[in-house]
Amino acid sequence: MKVLVAVKRVIDYNVKIRVKLDQTGVVNEHVKFSINPFDEIAVEQALRLREAGVAEEVIVVSAGSLKSQETLRYALALGADRAILLEQEEDSESLQPLAVAKLLQQVAEQEQPGLILLGKQAIDDDSNQVGQMLAALLDWPQGCFASDLQLQDSSLQLTREIDGGLETLALDLPAVVTADLRLNRPRFAKLPDIMKAKKKPLQVIEIAQTGIDVTPHLKRLRVQAPPPRPPGVMLSSVDELLAKLGEEGVLQ
Ligand code: AMP
């Protein structure tokens, strides 16, 4: 069975995000980019399935500019077998979840994977949409926010963390699964593997050649930074704290 994993290049989670002065977006220049953390977890899960002998091949796929090759090479260094880049140089930031889902659908129809793993959300747009849209487009079962996943032959058991407990689902394959934070702890890429990854196959497909309409349907009106936090104050006693909370209407 092939496992397809969708990986997105995003601003690294350690970077302090700055909003552009004209509020059209966030500053992308001179900041570190990395693989979306939930996608790294999805890659790890695919590798574990291959190591357990239930998957034969792990294919990583990304939609974006040529810079996303870095992200794919990182996933190859972690252990993926080959990579596909759906490339759009101009305006690659305008690729919205529905467009990404349609592109992934086409790859899935060509590659016929038994399982598609995605992150539960991209930490840049926080959309939490691509996995669900992809499952709908393919008409495959979906399991979102997986915190555990067991796969035997053609049946998949998936655990989800829900309010106040856990939910376990059984899905028929092929299926679409999105990874939550606690699914696993991803491995680190070792230097020799980073070198070896340079030689692994990475196919670039121009989005313009796919025939898929990726026109954005949403217009971003404004991006605003959260208001700055007021500075903390030092109080000398619990009574003073209670009085302060009362003044601020917290104790009503
Ligand atoms: P989102 O719905 O945008 O929050 O993204 C959910 C998941 O879809 C991500 O964690 C990725 O696995 C996948 N995804 C989103 N955008 C892309 C992209 N441009 N290329 C590849 N995968 C993506």
Side-chain angles (χ1 to χ4, degrees):
M1 180 180 81
K2 290 183 193 176
V3 181
L4 194 68
V5 190
V7 298
K8 186 176 187 188
R9 175 179 184 267
V10 296
I11 295 185
D12 188 274
Y13 67 94
N14 287 307
V15 170
K16 189 166 179 344
I17 300 295
R18 282 178 299 133
V19 173
K20 287 185 188 164
L21 288 177
D22 63 4
Q23 297 193 327
T24 54
V26 303
V27 177
N28 280 331
E29 288 81 30
H30 311 295
V31 293
K32 184 179 173 206
F33 279 78
S34 302
I35 184 170
N36 182 47
F38 295 108
D39 305 354
E40 196 173 359
I41 294 170
V43 172
E44 174 66 34
Q45 199 60 35
L47 297 176
R48 290 185 189 190
L49 290 173
R50 196 191 55 201
E51 286 158 3
V54 281
E56 279 99 50
E57 192 182 25
V58 175
I59 308 163
V60 283
V61 52
S62 191
S65 74
L66 285 172
K67 291 186 183 145
S68 297
Q69 287 179 104
E70 267 171 44
T71 313
L72 290 169
R73 289 276 172 221
Y74 181 74
L76 291 170
L78 290 173
D81 298 291
R82 63 186 167 94
I84 301 171
L85 172 62
L86 300 153
E87 186 249 337
Q88 174 168 287
E89 220 31 51
E90 286 294 302
D91 215 13
S92 60
E93 276 181 47
S94 70
L95 286 173
Q96 292 181 349
L98 182 57
V100 175
K102 286 185 196 166
L103 291 164
L104 293 174
Q105 177 193 14
Q106 192 179 75
V107 175
E109 284 165 355
Q110 282 157 4
E111 295 287 346
Q112 300 283 315
L115 176 66
I116 307 181
L117 287 166
L118 303 94
K120 74 166 179 181
Q121 76 192 59
I123 61 164
D124 51 1
D125 58 20
D126 277 343
S127 294
N128 174 9
Q129 293 177 2
V130 175
Q132 295 87 328
M133 287 177 168
L134 176 61
L137 290 169
L138 288 166
D139 198 17
W140 289 6
Q142 60 168 306
C144 294
F145 316 144
S147 60
D148 187 48
L149 192 153
Q150 305 293 332
L151 204 151
Q152 269 143 12
D153 303 322
S154 61
S155 90
L156 184 147
Q157 273 214 4
L158 178 138
T159 304
R160 317 174 58 231
E161 287 176 15
I162 54 169
D163 271 355
L166 298 173
E167 180 184 46
T168 302
L169 303 175
L171 306 184
D172 288 332
L173 295 177
V176 175
V177 169
T178 71
D180 207 344
L181 194 64
R182 275 179 280 275
L183 182 57
N184 60 52
R185 274 176 154 248
R187 67 197 66 189
F188 293 104
K190 297 190 209 90
L191 190 59
D193 295 331
I194 295 174
M195 303 311 286
K196 270 192 240 155
K198 293 186 180 167
K199 297 212 176 91
K200 289 190 179 176
L202 192 162
Q203 182 189 6
V204 179
I205 301 171
E206 280 181 40
I207 289 179
Q209 304 301 320
T210 61
I212 293 173
D213 178 11
V214 293
T215 317
H217 295 288
L218 298 173
K219 190 169 156 214
R220 183 189 287 156
L221 297 180
R222 193 167 55 252
V223 176
Q224 282 170 284
R229 279 200 189 189
V233 283
M234 290 294 284
L235 303 174
S236 51
S237 67
V238 172
D239 289 342
E240 215 182 319
L241 171 65
L242 292 174
K244 183 105 186 133
L245 292 175
E247 271 166 35
E248 293 187 6
V250 182
L251 289 185
Q252 278 162 14

